[in-house]
Amino acid sequence: MTKKTVLASGALLFGAGSWGVLWYPLRALNHVGLSGLWLALLMYAGAAAASLLVFRPKRGTHGPLGLWLALAVLGGITNIGFVVALLHDNILRVTLLFYLSPVWSVLAARVALGERLTAPVVTGISCALLGVLILLWRQASLTLSFYDALALLSGGAFALANVVLRAYPGLALETKLLATFTGVVAVGILALAFNAPTLPQTHGLPVLIATVGGGLGVFGITFLVQYGVTNLPVRLSSVLLLFEVVTAAFSQHLLLQGALGAQALVGALVVALGATLVAIYGA
């Protein structure tokens, strides 16, 4: 194993693990008066500012305008949906529903790019969808809450963004980051405009923490994950990304005593297995 592989693996593990515990500071800030939309808006505005300061992108390096806009819109839907769902639903449940994104990526790539579906990929898709049915089955019926749907939408947008990036494999890392961060800000402003916009119920320190602390945190975590994914084979990165599910499960259990029941745990394992099969064999 080369030094670069070790470094990229460590970056990906740390970044994925950090996403798995991000819910805790988000909920703490939410409890003092920052809604999910305001949290996402403030954090990603800070992350966009950090990206501009660190990379200082040059004119003409952002790729085609249509590509940049597509990544911005999809990045906005992905991150706002995930943040809001994390604040209001079971942490591990949201993480697992989002982790279906490899399934949607493969299906979208089949439709948009004409990529072939192999037997292991079809098996993985079937496995993941079966896991979702187990996870969402409540009281003899299939129940999909608003926040379940938001987590699924978030993962679907993330999957579409991955398909777009597969069509433009040489896109610079700083372009991906800045498009995503600014997209969250734009989508957040639009969402606030359609939801009777009000100012945050708090001000001062919580807003500063969300903008500066949250912005730097999101920038750092996203950079580490992108660096790891860019420099590792898909077969390795897809497995390492599962560390997010592990840290989400342990942090929820330790901090909220919110462990899933036996049925949900079975569903979680089946989703994780299916999504991993798709990610490994669908590359």
Side-chain angles (χ1 to χ4, degrees):
M1 186 178 289
T2 66
K3 183 178 179 179
K4 186 176 182 180
T5 300
V6 172
L7 184 62
S9 299
L12 187 55
L13 277 174
F14 187 85
S18 298
W19 278 120
V21 298
L22 184 65
W23 64 268
Y24 188 75
L26 289 180
R27 289 197 173 186
L29 289 168
N30 180 247
H31 288 159
V32 297
L34 286 174
S35 69
L37 285 176
W38 273 110
L39 269 172
L41 185 57
L42 293 171
M43 288 193 309
Y44 282 86
S51 182
L52 287 170
L53 288 172
V54 171
F55 294 117
R56 297 182 181 178
K58 299 177 182 179
R59 181 177 296 181
T61 61
H62 61 273
L65 180 60
L67 169 64
W68 199 91
L69 289 174
L71 292 177
V73 171
L74 293 171
I77 295 171
T78 296
N79 290 284
I80 286 179
F82 188 67
V83 167
V84 173
L86 274 182
L87 291 176
H88 298 283
D89 205 347
N90 182 283
I91 310 301
L92 185 55
R93 185 185 182 88
V94 169
T95 305
L96 285 164
L97 290 175
F98 178 84
Y99 199 74
L100 279 170
S101 56
V103 174
W104 313 136
S105 291
V106 167
L107 292 176
R110 169 62 182 168
V111 173
L113 305 178
E115 295 186 359
R116 188 171 61 92
L117 293 178
T118 62
V121 169
V122 173
T123 301
I125 290 173
S126 303
C127 188
L129 294 178
L130 173 62
V132 169
L133 289 176
I134 296 172
L135 196 63
L136 297 179
W137 194 268
R138 296 171 180 166
Q139 298 178 345
S141 64
L142 184 64
T143 305
L144 185 71
S145 73
F146 171 76
Y147 298 110
D148 291 338
L150 205 55
L152 287 169
L153 176 64
S154 174
F158 181 71
L160 288 175
N162 285 338
V163 172
V164 171
L165 289 172
R166 284 166 78 166
Y168 294 89
L171 197 64
L173 174 60
E174 55 265 34
T175 299
K176 301 175 190 177
L177 295 177
L178 189 57
T180 298
F181 297 153
T182 54
V184 176
V185 175
V187 173
I189 291 172
L190 286 174
L192 283 172
F194 282 100
N195 284 275
T198 57
L199 292 174
Q201 298 175 13
T202 187
H203 53 82
L205 186 58
V207 172
L208 182 65
I209 291 173
T211 306
V212 179
L216 290 175
V218 165
F219 171 77
I221 293 170
T222 307
F223 176 82
L224 289 175
V225 170
Q226 287 292 338
Y227 175 80
V229 169
T230 302
N231 291 283
L232 291 173
V234 173
R235 285 171 174 77
L236 178 56
S237 64
S238 61
V239 175
L240 294 180
L241 280 170
L242 271 175
F243 193 54
E244 177 182 347
V245 179
V246 175
T247 56
F250 275 97
S251 61
Q252 176 178 298
H253 178 66
L254 292 174
L255 297 172
L256 294 181
Q257 290 77 48
L260 295 177
Q263 174 188 324
L265 284 174
V266 171
L269 290 173
V270 176
V271 168
L273 174 62
T276 304
L277 279 174
V278 172
I280 290 174
Y281 292 100

